[in-house]
Amino acid sequence: MDDRAQGNARSVQGLAAILAALSLALFAWIYAGFVRAFSEAAAGQQMLDARIGGYERDDVIAMLRYLKDHPDPAAILHSMYLGPELIFPLVLGGLLFCLLQMIGPNGFFFGRAIPPGARVFIFCLPIFYAVVDYAENIAGLMLYPPATPSDATVALLSSALPIIVRLKFLTLVVTVILLARFAIFRYLSRDGSKPS
C-alpha cells in the first residue's frame, strides 16, 4: 500500500513538472508573441489582459473603440485568444491543482484543523480560476473585433469584464498564498512545531 502511495505521489510530481514547463512555455509565448506585439502595434498601449491591477468599464469601452479603428492590434488579441489562451488556463489550473495535491491542505487556521469542507473548497480554487479565465477570454472574443456585438452586449460585457478579471487574479493569488502557507506548515511540522 505504501508503494502504491509513493507511486501516486511520483505520478503527481511528474505531472506537475510537465504542467510547470508547459505553463512557463505558454506564458513566454503569450508575453513574447502577443503582449509585446500588441504593445508595438498599438503604439505602446497595453492590452487589458496584461493589466494585473485590473481595469474598469471605461477602459473596456476605450479599448473596444481603439480596436475598431486599429485592425492589427485587434488581430493580435484575437489570435492570442484562439491560440495559447485556449490551453493556458487549463494548464495553469492543472498545475495549481497538482501542487495542492502534492503539498496537501493540512495545517491549522486560528488554532483549529482545516475542516473537510474547507479542503474541498481549496481544491476547487484552481478549477474556479480556469473557469473564470476562460470566461474572460470568451467575453473578449465576443466583444473585440472582428466580433460585432450589439449595444446591449457591449454594455453587459464592459460591466462584467472588470469583475471577471478581479475574480481571476483574486483566485490565483489566494491559491498561491495557500500553497505557500501549506508548504511552510509542512516544512515546520517536520521540526515538530505547530504554526497557527
Side-chain angles (χ1 to χ4, degrees):
M1 190 68 153
D2 198 29
D3 291 339
R4 189 175 181 184
Q6 286 180 346
N8 288 341
R10 282 193 209 113
S11 296
V12 172
Q13 288 173 348
L15 180 59
I18 291 167
L19 291 174
L22 276 173
S23 294
L24 189 59
L26 286 167
F27 181 79
W29 182 21
I30 290 168
Y31 181 76
F34 297 94
V35 173
R36 287 183 59 202
F38 183 93
S39 183
E40 289 168 8
Q45 186 167 321
Q46 193 178 33
M47 67 171 62
L48 296 182
D49 295 60
R51 296 183 187 176
I52 294 175
Y55 48 83
E56 300 299 328
R57 180 183 186 282
D58 294 340
D59 298 322
V60 176
I61 299 293
M63 182 61 73
L64 177 60
R65 288 183 185 141
Y66 179 81
L67 293 177
K68 282 182 179 177
D69 297 332
H70 299 84
D72 289 342
I76 292 168
L77 186 61
H78 189 74
S79 297
M80 183 183 76
Y81 287 142
L82 295 178
E85 280 289 337
L86 280 177
I87 54 174
F88 182 69
L90 181 65
V91 170
L92 184 56
L95 172 62
L96 294 172
F97 189 86
C98 285
L99 290 175
L100 281 171
Q101 188 83 17
M102 287 169 44
I103 293 172
N106 296 319
F108 296 86
F109 279 117
F110 303 108
R112 293 185 174 174
I114 298 172
R119 288 189 178 136
V120 171
F121 174 77
I122 290 166
F123 276 107
C124 286
L125 285 173
I127 298 165
F128 185 69
Y129 159 78
V131 168
V132 173
D133 200 348
Y134 278 122
E136 180 189 21
N137 297 342
I138 291 167
L141 283 169
M142 293 172 60
L143 184 63
Y144 302 125
T148 53
S150 65
D151 290 342
T153 303
V154 169
L156 174 66
L157 294 178
S158 63
S159 297
L161 268 169
I163 296 167
I164 291 171
V165 77
R166 283 182 176 88
L167 277 175
K168 176 181 85 170
F169 284 118
L170 176 67
T171 306
L172 184 60
V173 167
V174 167
T175 305
V176 169
I177 289 170
L178 287 173
L179 279 168
R181 188 181 196 292
F182 297 143
I184 291 168
F185 176 81
R186 190 173 202 179
Y187 174 76
L188 292 178
S189 65
R190 289 180 187 157
D191 299 334
S193 56
K194 176 181 153 185
S196 61

